[in-house]
């Protein structure tokens, strides 16, 4: 099943393998996607679906150095060369739209402003990748630093951010993306509103579960109205504790969120399972509850192997499977998985920032075989 095609709304995916979003911090000045990035994604276009790295909807939404945006004409043009390259290889690509909320630093924000959040709560030990010296992505000289103390958003600012999401979705379609994924996971702004331990508001955006889900509902509705619900996905991470975001009753909370997304009628939910050692395991009953609640496509990502992927597809928990880090060093990952070929190991020192090294210089199996034949 993993290597068969799949209908996602009006799109036909060539296989059920998804390249999920992975921040690589290689945007140029002005947070513009580059020709190097176009080549990186083009190399991986044999995935059934590519979801771009997190792409900030505004300068305020940025939390890391050298990440791309999609709010200026230059950024839209930069992404257009990426989507053109992917489409030239018969690939499909969604843009992940991102507002980091509190997970930022004053050195990244415009004019040294404080990051924003549902509530003014600092997550101790949560670090962001910054470039305080201003050396640029190609030098790869960024550093991990504690995020800055956030301030609480006003209701007027919340409404403005919802509008920013809708405009960013329109910009993504203009840039040639086939749809968008809203980053509602990993402790960023949407999840900060959802989770009980990061949202201590006392107005209609906090307190009760219904109120904590209000921001999600309003953002998704605005984006669906802007570009069509069939072009919209949402990423969730019900059990991860990344960036200090935690909920006291995750299954209740996230199944309620899935019910909202079902009512809106979006294309998919992308569930990020915890993928580190000794991480919480998502119970089968939780996955079954997602399936019972949401009739659209379900994508799961998190340390999946071919065997685990086939099991998830076979048991009906998932429709598509994301393979994250393996795609970094294996641009031809679907071919390698289908033929049970060995995988390259990625160079972790080149994950964030830098140039082509550790980014576009990993050889495919077919390229390696061709080189061997030429030398024979």
């Amino acid at each position: 099943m993993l290597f068969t095609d799949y209908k996602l709304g009006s799109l036909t995916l060539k296989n059920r393998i998804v390249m999920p979003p992975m921040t690589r911090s290689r945007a140029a000045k002005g947070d513009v996607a580059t020709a190097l990035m176009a080549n990186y994604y083009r190399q991986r276009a044999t995935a059934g679906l590519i979801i771009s790295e997190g792409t900030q909807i505004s300068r305020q939404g940025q939390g890391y150095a050298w990440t791309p945006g999609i709010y200026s004409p230059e950024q839209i043009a930069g992404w257009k060369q990426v989507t053109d390259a992917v489409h030239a290889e018969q690939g499909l690509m969604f843009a992940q739209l991102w507002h980091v909320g509190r997970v930022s630093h004053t050195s990244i924000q415009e004019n040294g402003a404080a990051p924003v959040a549902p509530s003014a709560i600092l997550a101790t030990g949560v670090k962001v990748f910054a470039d305080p010296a201003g050396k640029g992505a190609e030098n790869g000289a960024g550093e991990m630093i504690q995020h800055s103390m956030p301030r609480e958003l006003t209701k007027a600012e919340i409404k403005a951010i919802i509008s920013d999401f809708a405009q960013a979705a329109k910009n993504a379609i203009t840039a040639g993306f086939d749809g968008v994924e809203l980053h509602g996971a990993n402790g960023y702004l949407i999840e900060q509103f959802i989770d009980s331990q990061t949202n201590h508001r006392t107005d209609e955006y906090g307190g009760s579960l219904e109120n904590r889900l209000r921001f999600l509902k309003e953002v998704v509705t605005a984006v669906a109205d802007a570009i069509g619900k069939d072009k919209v996905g949402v990423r969730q991470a019900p059990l991860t504790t990344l960036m200090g975001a935690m909920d006291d009753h995750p299954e209740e909370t996230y199944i309620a969120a899935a019910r909202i997304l079902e009512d809106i009628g979006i294309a998919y939910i992308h569930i990020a399972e915890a993928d580190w050692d000794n991480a919480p395991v998502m119970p089968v009953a939780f996955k079954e509850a997602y399936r019972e609640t949401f009739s659209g496509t379900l994508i799961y990502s998190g340390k999946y192997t071919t065997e685990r992927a086939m099991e998830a597809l076979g048991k009906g928990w998932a429709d598509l499977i994301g393979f994250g880090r393996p795609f970094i060093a294996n641009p031809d990952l679907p071919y390698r998985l289908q033929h049970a070929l060995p995988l390259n190991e990625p160079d972790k020192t080149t994950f964030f920032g830098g140039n082509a090294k550790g980014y576009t210089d990993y050889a495919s199996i077919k390229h390696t075989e061709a080189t061997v034949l030429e030398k024979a």
Side-chain angles (χ1 to χ4, degrees):
M1 293 178 68
L2 187 60
F3 307 105
T4 59
D5 60 12
Y6 179 81
K7 290 286 289 183
L8 178 66
S10 62
L11 302 173
T12 300
L13 281 56
K14 66 186 76 173
N15 54 55
R16 296 180 184 231
I17 296 170
V18 175
M19 177 180 168
M22 291 179 286
T23 294
R24 302 301 306 276
S25 290
R26 280 170 168 81
K29 184 178 180 181
D31 305 323
V32 174
T34 65
L36 179 65
M37 292 168 62
N39 189 33
Y40 169 74
Y41 284 111
R42 179 194 61 77
Q43 290 175 342
R44 290 151 179 82
T46 55
L49 176 67
I50 293 174
I51 305 169
S52 82
E53 60 209 272
T55 302
Q56 57 260 14
I57 61 171
S58 64
R59 176 69 184 277
Q60 183 195 69
Q62 185 172 9
Y64 301 87
W66 319 322
T67 55
I70 196 159
Y71 53 88
S72 74
E74 294 78 14
Q75 291 166 355
I76 294 170
W79 276 119
K80 186 66 167 64
Q81 66 179 325
V82 176
T83 60
D84 283 349
V86 170
H87 290 151
E89 301 292 334
Q90 291 74 53
L92 297 169
M93 189 171 186
F94 276 37
Q96 189 188 63
L97 303 183
W98 195 21
H99 192 303
V100 301
R102 71 179 182 179
V103 188
S104 188
H105 190 268
T106 53
S107 66
I108 296 170
Q109 293 290 302
E110 191 168 13
N111 298 321
V116 298
S119 302
I121 301 172
L122 184 75
T124 304
V126 169
K127 295 185 176 183
V128 298
F129 184 70
D131 179 21
K135 293 184 178 180
E138 288 190 1
N139 294 308
E143 58 183 289
M144 299 298 292
I145 56 178
Q146 165 71 37
H147 86 91
S148 299
M149 181 69 188
R151 65 171 181 83
E152 183 173 301
L153 285 161
T154 67
K155 285 192 282 188
E157 289 173 324
I158 290 171
K159 298 298 184 184
I161 290 172
I162 292 168
S163 296
D164 287 343
F165 269 107
Q167 184 59 54
K170 293 178 183 178
N171 294 348
I173 299 303
T174 300
F177 285 100
D178 299 293
V180 302
E181 175 179 287
L182 304 177
H183 200 342
N186 296 358
Y188 298 116
L189 185 64
I190 293 175
E191 187 172 26
Q192 289 164 29
F193 272 94
I194 294 172
D195 285 356
S196 57
Q197 295 189 27
T198 48
N199 184 346
H200 292 176
R201 298 179 72 94
T202 57
D203 61 11
E204 62 266 38
Y205 287 98
S208 69
L209 177 55
E210 179 182 4
N211 284 355
R212 286 186 283 114
L213 292 173
R214 190 181 307 278
F215 183 68
L216 168 72
K217 182 177 181 179
E218 291 183 355
V219 169
V220 177
T221 299
V223 169
D225 288 346
I227 65 170
K229 61 187 179 183
D230 61 318
K231 294 183 177 67
V232 180
V234 172
R235 197 172 205 205
Q236 298 182 326
L239 295 180
T240 68
T241 56
L242 294 172
M243 310 305 172
M246 290 176 279
D247 188 77
D248 294 329
H249 306 285
E251 184 163 351
E252 176 189 353
T253 295
Y254 281 90
I255 294 304
R259 196 170 296 116
I260 288 172
L261 301 179
E262 168 71 9
D263 290 343
I264 297 171
I266 64 168
Y268 71 76
I269 297 175
H270 182 182
I271 299 164
E273 295 186 68
D275 62 355
W276 58 90
D277 292 338
N278 301 315
V281 175
M282 190 170 182
V284 171
F286 199 168
K287 295 179 179 181
E288 291 174 342
Y290 258 109
R291 176 56 78 194
E292 291 169 3
T293 304
F294 186 72
S295 62
T297 294
L298 288 173
I299 307 172
Y300 280 84
S301 299
K303 273 194 172 178
Y304 274 87
T305 61
T306 303
E307 293 71 27
R308 283 192 67 219
M310 297 294 269
E311 178 187 17
L313 296 173
K315 292 185 175 178
W317 305 332
D319 301 297
L320 303 171
I321 300 294
F323 293 83
R325 291 183 186 89
F327 257 117
I328 291 177
N330 300 279
D332 56 344
L333 183 66
Y335 180 83
R336 289 175 187 255
L337 294 179
Q338 187 169 14
H339 297 280
L341 297 171
L343 301 183
N344 296 322
E345 286 295 321
D347 177 2
K348 294 181 179 180
T349 66
T350 61
F351 276 6
F352 305 109
N355 47 36
K357 178 176 169 53
Y359 191 60
T360 57
D361 61 347
Y362 293 106
S364 69
I365 286 284
K366 289 183 177 179
H367 179 268
T368 302
E369 291 172 346
T371 301
V372 171
L373 286 173
E374 286 175 6
K375 292 180 178 179

